[in-house]
Amino acid sequence: MKKLITLLLNLSILIAGFSQSWIQKSDYPGVACDDGTTFIIGDKAYCGTGMTPWFSTTTDFYSFDLVSETWANSTPLPAGMERQYAVGLSDQSFGYLFGGTGNGIFYNDLWKFDPATTVWTQLSSMPDSGRSGSTGFIINDTIYIVGGTKTMGGAIADVWAYSINDNSWEQKNDLPYAIWTAKSASVNGKGYLTFGMTDNGSFPENLLEYTPQTDTWSNLPPYPEGGHSHGSLVSSGDFLLTMGGRDSLGIYSKHLYRYDIANQVWQQLSAIPDSARKGGMVFIKDEKLYYTTGITAQNLRLRQTWKCTDVLISNREYEISKWKVSPNPVQDKLRIEIAEGSNFEETDLVLTDIHGKVWMVQTISGQKSMIDISKLPQGLYFARLNGSGHFGTIKLLKTH
């Protein structure tokens, strides 16, 4: 029966003819580390904290320019605030860092980073015990801090919401189970969580979706390789991307997966062409994903930085062959053509930007359609079709 269930679950996993390319970039400029944290503001990713090879934690932070792909020093956390397992977040204007552990302390503090002044400012602390290995995401003006451990091994199911506007905290409904070292992200006003370890040492394979309006969690198709801890999760457009981690047998992963939220399908992408690893810092810009630092199964902490290209583009040629858009780039009128013989009835064309914001939903009921997108802002979009049958996602450039 277990083999049958696994087989059925695998029907929702697409194994790609890989089109991604991994390129090694300049090393992380700080000490080799794992379990650091990161956030993106504009064209810079900020990476810092973590555990060093000497089993000490750090306050260091560095910025990575996503245009020039170069590293530079950034302002560290205040002296004495060394830590690992902190939560890093961004609302596109400011960076935020919550909790973690260092110097024998479990922190409940929240810090805001201003990229204009490169200054850290302490905000209101969570009105509960400090915690490490939590995860978090931002929806609108609210930071959600989820799970973690208060004793390094005793997982918790707590969910707390911090109002950025009011500088205040509110406890929400618990997760369905206690977890720490999980990873999460938000897309289109919902939160998504996977990975992590429970109190009894199990590794749930669940992918959970959080709806803030009802303060509830629901199950989605699980991560296809079984439960992992110390993995990474980021979001872009309508997709989640996971990387690395280790399973319940202590086996480390080098695999990269993409989850299509709209179609609820996992797809395996190109694996990193180096050692399997966990505990790295991951960030994404447009269709490029970056993975830096981490630790291997041989306990070698890393400074490597890798870039993977085209992580949002469909890898299966037959998916793309089912439909096409033209012209691309486009200024005003977009032509949609769906191949004869496709499993197709009526469907919606959905255009989203790189942040997952939906800009257009247009019903299509014929094999050929013309859509007016002249009022959309200039920029990069992702076009997909909802309906019967699976269609690949196409990158679309809108010009004036």
Side-chain angles (χ1 to χ4, degrees), residues 266-314:
W266 286 95
Q267 185 173 32
Q268 187 176 346
L269 306 183
S270 176
I272 190 169
D274 202 79
S275 302
R277 60 200 62 198
K278 72 177 183 73
M281 295 180 275
V282 176
F283 45 93
I284 188 168
K285 180 69 172 180
D286 299 333
E287 74 278 11
K288 299 181 289 292
L289 177 140
Y290 298 85
Y291 189 107
T292 189
T293 67
I295 188 171
T296 69
Q298 293 73 39
N299 287 322
L300 175 64
R301 287 180 170 84
L302 303 169
R303 296 175 57 230
Q304 294 178 352
T305 300
W306 287 87
K307 176 176 76 171
C308 186
T309 62
D310 296 329
V311 294
L312 302 187
I313 309 306
S314 176

Side-chain angles (χ1 to χ4, degrees), residues 111-131:
W111 294 82
K112 181 174 78 173
F113 177 79
D114 186 340
T117 61
T118 68
V119 170
W120 290 94
T121 302
Q122 189 167 4
L123 304 175
S124 175
S125 295
M126 178 186 286
D128 198 16
S129 303
R131 57 205 60 198

Side-chain angles (χ1 to χ4, degrees), residues 93-114:
S93 297
F94 301 99
Y96 299 89
L97 182 143
F98 170 81
T101 184
N103 302 319
I105 301 170
F106 284 75
Y107 292 103
N108 65 350
D109 52 354
L110 178 66
W111 294 82
K112 181 174 78 173
F113 177 79
D114 186 340

